[in-house]
Amino acid sequence: MTEYGELKTNLEPGDYIVVGRDDEARSEQKIKVEAGQTYSPLFTLNAGTLVIHPHASQGSEISGEARVDFNYPGGNTTHYGDAKATVPAGEQKVTVQIGAGTATETVQLAAGQTVEKDIIVGVGHAMLNAYYTAGGDKADNSGIGFEIVKAKKKIDGSRESVEHSYGPDSKFWLPPDDYVALTTLDLAVVEQPFSINAGDNQDVKVALDAGVLAMSAPGAYSIEVFSSKKDIEGKRKSLGLSYGDSWQQTIPAGDYVVVRHMSDQGQDKEMPVTIKAGERSEITVQ
């Protein structure tokens, strides 16, 4: 492909290298400049143009969230959304990524040719939110964490992590598969299974079955929450600890013991509390 452009400049006599470039394609020439002479170098870039339209699924609109990686002879470049790149002729490897999904295609591009191509990644969309109870109030808290893992466990019992995000209305683009949403808000941790097909647009609602516990302990060095039930050795499981004399946490519905720790030994005090899903409890340990 031959590109014409015009750049006028005055140069001192001498030897130079002049580079012609269009996007990712380039060519260079050595010229010897002599006084009083005019030079008009012509560059042959041996390049073509690739136009890539990325789609999340068949029939969907062009995705503005897509990452498009061009791997061309001698280099690579990355564009986002609807992508156009002028690159050296030859075999082109184009990879489109939308969320956790990718699709790769190989394109043969001749010099002077323009190739326009739609690439379909084949992912579905899921938006996740957490609720204190099923059908109850939405947990509109930036501290909510969502981790998407594959439902199928590995031989060691672990699951492959796919994506993660924080806050309400967390959005994920996922390849077709079975997944589990690990949702965390303070002391509440819930697993919510769901499945995705290409082209899906799902609202995944996670029920935390939890309430909010606001704790006050005047003069406390720290506040600690324990499960109410003791193990066979007579010990309670600690669920969390915070330094200071006040603390608020989202916590699964159930029975607990809140302990006020003081700086001086022998001054600790505890109070039992029952948490109901979707309700707020306020206690003062004195």
Side-chain angles (χ1 to χ4, degrees), residues 37 48 59 68-69 105 119 123 160 181 209 212 228 243 253 258:
Q37 297 296 312
V68 183
D69 291 315
E105 294 198 20
I119 296 183
V123 290
E160 180 184 345
D209 191 29
V212 174
S228 63
Y243 293 98
V258 177

Side-chain angles (χ1 to χ4, degrees), residues 40-110:
S40 299
L42 184 65
F43 294 91
T44 301
L45 296 178
N46 189 35
T49 299
L50 271 177
V51 181
I52 303 297
H53 304 304
H55 299 266
S57 59
Q58 187 73 43
S60 67
E61 296 181 354
I62 293 172
S63 172
E65 299 180 44
R67 169 178 169 147
V68 183
D69 291 315
F70 296 88
N71 284 275
Y72 53 82
N76 59 78
T77 185
T78 299
H79 292 238
Y80 294 89
D82 211 17
K84 179 180 179 181
T86 300
V87 294
E91 184 176 279
Q92 318 291 324
K93 183 180 177 182
V94 182
T95 300
V96 176
Q97 178 180 355
I98 301 177
T102 60
T104 300
E105 294 198 20
T106 300
V107 180
Q108 294 294 334
L109 184 68

Side-chain angles (χ1 to χ4, degrees), residues 164-186:
H164 65 271
S165 181
Y166 293 92
D169 299 327
S170 284
K171 300 175 178 64
F172 299 92
W173 291 99
L174 301 166
D177 209 338
D178 298 322
Y179 297 96
V180 174
L182 304 180
T183 305
T184 304
L185 178 56
D186 297 336

Side-chain angles (χ1 to χ4, degrees), residues 116-217:
E116 190 167 356
K117 195 169 186 61
D118 292 275
I119 296 183
I120 298 166
V121 177
V123 290
H125 183 262
M127 183 170 71
L128 272 71
N129 279 294
Y131 295 80
Y132 290 103
T133 60
D137 291 339
K138 180 178 176 180
D140 194 11
N141 188 313
S142 62
I144 300 168
F146 296 102
E147 181 182 8
I148 307 301
V149 298
K150 290 192 174 182
K152 186 177 180 180
K153 293 183 178 180
K154 300 177 184 178
I155 194 168
D156 63 0
S158 65
R159 292 188 175 109
E160 180 184 345
S161 181
V162 179
E163 291 268 69
H164 65 271
S165 181
Y166 293 92
D169 299 327
S170 284
K171 300 175 178 64
F172 299 92
W173 291 99
L174 301 166
D177 209 338
D178 298 322
Y179 297 96
V180 174
L182 304 180
T183 305
T184 304
L185 178 56
D186 297 336
L187 301 179
V189 181
V190 175
E191 296 188 5
Q192 174 70 50
F194 68 101
S195 298
I196 283 286
N197 294 311
D200 278 357
N201 190 14
Q202 290 194 34
D203 285 329
V204 179
K205 298 180 179 181
V206 181
L208 296 173
D209 191 29
V212 174
L213 174 59
M215 297 160 279
S216 177

Side-chain angles (χ1 to χ4, degrees), residues 230-281:
K230 295 181 179 180
D231 63 21
I232 195 169
E233 296 179 348
K235 297 179 181 178
R236 298 188 183 104
K237 180 182 178 181
S238 176
L239 303 178
L241 178 144
S242 177
Y243 293 98
D245 61 4
S246 63
W247 191 26
Q248 178 172 296
Q249 290 283 278
T250 298
I251 186 168
D255 297 324
Y256 301 93
V257 173
V258 177
V259 176
R260 178 198 68 183
H261 295 297
M262 304 295 285
S263 299
D264 297 331
Q265 288 189 356
Q267 299 300 311
D268 290 356
K269 188 166 183 181
E270 65 181 48
M271 176 180 289
V273 61
T274 297
I275 301 300
K276 294 182 179 179
E279 296 187 10
R280 177 182 178 85
S281 298

